[in-house]
Amino acid sequence: MEMAKNSYEYVLKLKKRRQKDYGSEASWSSLESDVREFVRAKTKTEKERWLTKRNVPQARAIAAETNLPAGDNGWTHYVGQRLDLSPPQGSPTREERKEMQAAGVRNSQFEEFLKKNAAPREAVQAVEHVLEEWIRGRTDLMQELLATELSVNRSPVSREVFSRVLRSFTFPDHGAVNEARHGILSSQRDFSGTLQVPDWKHMFRPITAEHRITVIRSQSSNQLRDEVVAAFQFVHAPNDLVLLTVERRKTRWVVKDLTNVIVH
């Protein structure tokens, strides 16, 4: 509630600096009870219903962006929902042309970055093997692909906890997973349900038109230790950027760390 109030007051300050006449604004006291109702909505379904009731455009997509359990509508209701931020049809404005130009520069810089930091082909194949075993839920085979010393977000964990975190990412309702802290703090949550997909690569959101999974050499790599980092996002967990560190130990590649960063 404090964040909502401060945000609203900031918008009012911005309004005063604009030359356009927006008319009179509502007082915070007149909005407070309505905002509190939205804050108390604990699932994607409840958020969507609040937004729909007030005729907010893209209500389902907005609700899908939250890190909350799916609720009554079920997780499939929200998979693949993304906010439509595309410009209106017609000739692009000056600002839109600038943004299109900037996007082109960003894409070329990203491709250049990948070329300079490209991982060896054998490392990419090793990462893809790990990801396929992970997505298909072959936990018995995954054990051979884990390092002796493991960490989550760079904090040491046991093999049991690490395996539970891996399972949590394939659990369909990722909002429920987020509430359970990906199984790090509690072993009570059952993450036995996994997504069934014909092509495991379709489980990952495209980062660019060309890439679903980005694999680059780690900055700590040297001649004595080969290490790569894979970055990706799951389609059912759009707010989690996952970084998987994979290292070559003698003749095989093993996973040593999983780090997830919340992005909105």
Side-chain angles (χ1 to χ4, degrees):
M1 287 299 295
E2 183 179 356
M3 183 189 71
K5 182 181 179 182
N6 290 341
S7 298
Y8 186 63
E9 290 176 348
Y10 182 85
V11 170
L12 295 185
K13 291 179 181 179
L14 181 64
K15 173 176 176 279
K16 293 178 180 179
R17 297 170 56 183
R18 302 296 297 272
Q19 294 180 352
K20 182 177 179 180
D21 181 15
Y22 291 95
S24 59
E25 65 268 5
S27 65
W28 171 253
S29 59
S30 68
L31 301 172
E32 189 170 0
S33 62
D34 211 26
V35 175
R36 190 177 301 278
E37 183 182 340
F38 179 79
V39 169
R40 288 176 174 171
K42 298 301 182 184
T43 66
K44 289 179 170 67
T45 300
E46 292 175 8
K47 297 289 191 189
E48 181 185 356
R49 287 172 180 163
W50 187 98
L51 295 163
T52 301
K53 182 179 178 181
R54 289 155 182 81
N55 299 314
V56 176
Q58 303 187 68
R60 185 186 300 181
I62 294 173
E65 290 284 344
T66 63
N67 260 7
L68 294 172
D72 298 342
N73 284 337
W75 66 271
T76 56
H77 186 73
Y78 299 103
V79 172
Q81 290 292 321
R82 303 296 294 174
L83 290 174
D84 181 11
L85 301 178
S86 58
Q89 297 298 317
S91 300
T93 65
R94 180 171 176 270
E95 290 301 317
E96 289 165 356
R97 287 196 300 270
K98 288 173 61 178
E99 174 54 31
M100 292 167 60
Q101 184 179 14
V105 172
R106 288 195 299 269
N107 286 339
S108 62
Q109 289 176 339
F110 181 67
E111 292 296 336
E112 185 65 24
F113 170 79
L114 291 182
K115 289 179 181 179
K116 291 181 178 179
N117 298 275
R121 181 57 193 162
E122 62 175 288
V124 175
Q125 291 174 338
V127 167
E128 290 181 346
H129 178 52
V130 168
L131 294 177
E132 182 175 8
E133 300 302 312
W134 181 5
I135 296 304
R136 297 197 182 282
R138 299 170 182 167
T139 53
D140 54 333
L141 296 175
M142 271 297 294
Q143 297 304 311
E144 302 176 7
L145 305 174
L146 301 183
T148 304
E149 297 177 354
L150 296 161
S151 59
V152 174
N153 296 329
R154 302 298 178 180
S155 296
V157 297
S158 66
R159 181 172 286 248
E160 177 187 1
V161 171
F162 194 87
S163 297
R164 190 161 63 241
V165 172
L166 291 179
R167 288 197 304 273
S168 76
F169 273 97
T170 62
F171 192 76
D173 188 351
H174 198 75
V177 169
N178 184 64
E179 282 201 338
R181 298 291 299 275
H182 295 82
I184 295 176
L185 300 182
S186 172
S187 60
Q188 303 302 313
R189 184 82 198 190
D190 178 21
F191 295 124
S192 58
T194 58
L195 297 172
Q196 301 299 319
V197 290
D199 184 348
W200 64 272
K201 290 184 179 180
H202 289 169
M203 283 292 297
F204 302 100
R205 288 185 56 219
I207 299 174
T208 68
E210 302 295 330
H211 304 279
R212 287 180 181 268
I213 304 162
T214 300
V215 185
I216 62 173
R217 297 193 310 273
S218 170
Q219 295 299 317
S220 62
S221 293
N222 53 47
Q223 294 179 350
L224 300 178
R225 184 177 68 180
D226 291 318
E227 184 177 281
V228 298
V229 176
F232 49 86
Q233 288 179 290
F234 289 105
V235 294
H236 65 296
N239 297 321
D240 287 69
L241 174 64
V242 183
L243 306 173
L244 202 66
T245 303
V246 181
E247 181 180 277
R248 179 159 57 187
R249 299 281 178 87
K250 295 183 179 179
T251 59
R252 65 192 184 103
W253 293 81
V254 293
V255 178
K256 57 180 292 188
D257 177 80
L258 180 148
T259 296
N260 69 295
V261 182
I262 305 301
V263 295
H264 289 281

